Each structure stands twice: as structure tokens, then as C-alpha cells.
Amino acid sequence: MSVTINAHQLSRLIDKTISHMASEYVEPLHGIRLDVDAKYVYAVASDRYTIAVARYQLNHGDQQQEPWARTIPAEYLRSLREWIQSMEGAGLITISTAKDRLIFEGPQSDLSIAVTPGLEFPDWRGLLRKMVEQTVEGELFPCLNSGYLSRFNTGDILRVRFTADEKPAVVFAEDFIGALMPARHAGVYPCKEETFEGAHKSWLWTLAAGSTDASLDGAAYEEDRPLYDVTTDIRETGEALLQQTLRSGWDMSGKSTEKRDEFLAHCLAAVNGWTAFRYLDALYNVDPRAAAAVVAEVAGELESGEIGDFAWDAAEAAGFDPEKWHSEYDARLKAVEKKPAA
């Protein structure tokens, strides 16, 4: 099974979808899905929050082949892009499957990539089919310049209000309001399909092959992070601190006070979790950017596993005597060891 596409078009397919891949903790979605049917070759990526599909129409001679699909793992995309960039844009690339490999054959060199043939990937045709078919007939179908959308990446959760066709889209967030002018405002109408019906029709052949009950729900697409993985996202950090506080409180209430060490450990975890959350929340309200920077910096320190050294240095920098603390702690442990059991 093989398909032929020029280097420029293959590069465009990757560039249009690579930002939508999931992290390494969602293996089935950590890459770009190369999907081929009788009319098109598609590049598909999703992180469960967004989904992107780019397509290239095949030459007539390729339209008799059997459909196939493979996921290009994210770790190989950099080498693939570099290989594509090493040739002329018009150079033809033949992509074929061979057991657990995707083979890219160029005019002067070849590239082979290891893939997992049976790796599960969501029914993207079905997902988009459901979304498109849920659209109410006659709804607005504004034309926006995608290059301007990135300017609203402020880290906020945005709400969007489409006022009318050929009118600005208004965006709202906490203490923020903005507007994005329609593409037609510049005096040029770059949208190929002027109506929703026209756009839907151009994808109807593709989406009709999707299931009507497709879903991204299920264990296959859940994050498989290590138990103590550290996040750099400020909202996730706040959530983790609140969870720690509540879970420690629940564990504390379920433990007998006779198990003093275990009980005190849960008390300490609950107190520290709540204290850290309150400090983070206060810092965020004063300076959100500073809060985000601190969370990212602390995440790096935790990942390094050297927080004991960092704490010692911080104590000395603040004018304290960590050596004295250590001596007092050792003396307290020795006193406990010598104390006869009750």
C-alpha cells in the first residue's frame, strides 16, 4: 500500500496539524495520524481538546488503492521534517507501509520510521461528522484569519460571541475583552466556501465514512502520567494542592488517633497543601504572570529531585542556620530512640 505526494504538500500537512498532538502521556494521540483513502491523504492530530485534519487530493492514478492509516510517533516528526526539507518542494515522495514501518522514498534518499500498526486512534471522521451535523441550519458562518487568532492566546479561558456575518467576533475573559475583525474587512475574501452548506458539502465524502456515535471518551485516550509527575500549568497546580488538602483531610479523619505518626503525617500534608494553595492564589491575584513563572520554576526544581539542596541554600540565603536545625533534628531522633516503649 503506497501513496505519492510532493514534499511541499507533505510538509504542509504536518505543519497544519503538529500543534494539536497530545502529550507523551496519551500514547495513542502522541503523534500525527497519516490516513489514506481512495481520494485523499490526510494528516490528523488531536489532544482531546482540539482536533485538526489537513488533506491533499490524490492524483487519479492513486485512487484505486485500499485505505490505510498509521500514526507517525511524535519523536520521529523532527527527523521527518528535516528529511523533507532536504529536498526540493516539488520532489515526489512515495509513502508505503511494510509491517511495522512507514517508508518514505524520495528522489535521492529514503527514510524508514517504526510505527505500531494496531495503535488505536479515534474515529476522527465520526467525531467531526457529529459536530458538523449538530450545527443549526442558518447559523452564522464567519470568515476569520487564523493568523490573528493566536494573538488572543493570553492564557485565559475565552468566550466568543459571533455578532453577525462580516462583523467582528467579540471575545471575553476575566478582566479582558477584545474583538477580531472578519477577513472580508481587509477588502479581500479569502474563504473558498462562503456558506456553511458549501463547506460541509466539500467534506461530505470524507465525513460520511465516520461513525455517528464516535467519541473521545474511554481509557485509551486518558493521560497516563507518572503518579508524581509535576505540572507547569498554574491551574493544574492549584487543583493538585486542593486535592492534596482534601484527600489528606479525608485520610486524617479515617485514621485512629492512636496511630500518631500516620495521623500527624496527614495533618501536615493537609496544612501544607492548604497553605501553599492560599499563597499561590494570593500571588495569582496580585500578579498572574509572576505566579505562572514561580509554578514553572518550582516544577523544574521538583523534577530535578534536589529540593533538599535548594531548601538548604534558601535557608542560608535568608540568614537562618540549617546546620543548627539538622543537629537539633538528629538530637530529637536519638532521644526518641532511647525513650522506652510504653
Side-chain angles (χ1 to χ4, degrees), residues 34-340:
L34 205 62
D35 197 324
V36 179
D37 60 26
K39 291 182 66 175
Y40 299 95
V41 54
Y42 307 88
V44 189
S46 175
D47 58 1
R48 299 168 301 152
Y49 305 105
T50 66
I51 184 169
V53 180
R55 71 182 181 186
Y56 171 75
Q57 188 165 4
L58 300 173
N59 294 325
H60 179 72
D62 293 325
Q63 295 183 11
Q64 304 305 316
Q65 66 178 331
E66 291 292 324
W68 57 270
R70 297 288 189 277
T71 298
I72 305 172
E75 58 264 34
Y76 298 130
L77 286 171
R78 179 176 179 179
S79 58
L80 175 58
R81 295 175 88 185
E82 291 176 348
W83 179 77
I84 295 171
Q85 291 168 3
S86 69
M87 64 187 69
E88 296 292 337
L92 295 179
I93 298 174
T94 298
I95 310 170
S96 58
T97 61
K99 293 184 179 179
D100 60 349
R101 292 285 189 273
L102 262 180
I103 301 172
F104 298 81
E105 300 177 66
Q108 297 179 332
S109 62
D110 302 340
L111 179 66
S112 178
I113 290 178
V115 297
T116 305
L119 188 64
E120 183 177 354
F121 197 83
D123 179 6
W124 59 269
R125 292 176 176 85
L127 290 168
L128 291 170
R129 176 181 178 179
K130 286 175 62 177
M131 297 173 193
V132 170
E133 291 179 352
Q134 288 173 355
T135 302
V136 178
E137 186 177 351
E139 283 191 351
L140 302 178
F141 193 52
C143 182
L144 304 176
N145 187 322
S146 61
Y148 297 147
L149 291 174
S150 62
R151 299 183 184 181
F152 291 95
N153 182 17
T154 60
D156 298 312
I157 302 299
L158 298 177
R159 287 188 175 273
V160 182
R161 173 74 170 183
F162 293 111
T163 55
D165 281 331
E166 303 180 46
K167 297 296 181 182
V170 184
V171 298
F172 298 86
E174 183 179 1
D175 298 320
F176 179 85
I177 185 172
L180 175 59
M181 306 307 158
R184 186 185 289 235
H185 188 74
V188 179
Y189 198 90
C191 296
K192 184 177 179 181
E193 303 295 346
E194 295 192 16
T195 64
F196 171 76
E197 291 75 15
H200 185 193
K201 184 178 180 180
S202 70
W203 281 88
L204 192 59
W205 188 89
T206 296
L207 301 183
S211 169
T212 57
D213 59 354
S215 173
L216 275 173
D217 296 335
Y221 310 121
E222 293 179 0
E223 287 194 334
D224 186 24
R225 293 193 180 195
L227 184 60
Y228 299 107
D229 183 58
V230 183
T231 177
T232 59
D233 183 87
I234 190 169
R235 182 173 176 82
E236 290 182 0
T237 300
E239 180 184 18
L241 291 172
L242 289 174
Q243 285 185 356
Q244 174 187 316
T245 302
L246 292 172
R247 287 173 180 171
S248 297
W250 296 329
D251 286 337
M252 183 173 58
S253 63
K255 304 296 180 185
S256 169
T257 54
E258 295 178 0
K259 300 179 179 179
R260 181 176 175 80
D261 290 343
E262 191 174 349
F263 179 78
L264 290 178
H266 289 303
C267 288
L268 184 61
V271 169
N272 287 343
W274 179 244
T275 302
F277 173 78
R278 291 289 286 119
Y279 290 159
L280 178 61
D281 186 54
L283 177 59
Y284 179 81
N285 286 318
V286 173
D287 190 339
R289 292 185 179 180
V294 168
V295 166
E297 184 177 347
V298 171
E301 294 169 345
L302 294 175
E303 288 283 5
S304 74
E306 300 175 357
I307 56 175
D309 293 336
F310 295 139
W312 187 285
D313 293 341
E316 289 185 330
F320 300 116
D321 188 353
E323 186 66 50
K324 178 183 177 182
W325 294 346
H326 187 256
S327 299
E328 292 174 345
Y329 180 71
D330 276 347
R332 189 159 56 248
L333 288 179
K334 291 177 181 177
V336 171
E337 291 174 357
K338 292 179 180 180
K339 186 177 180 180

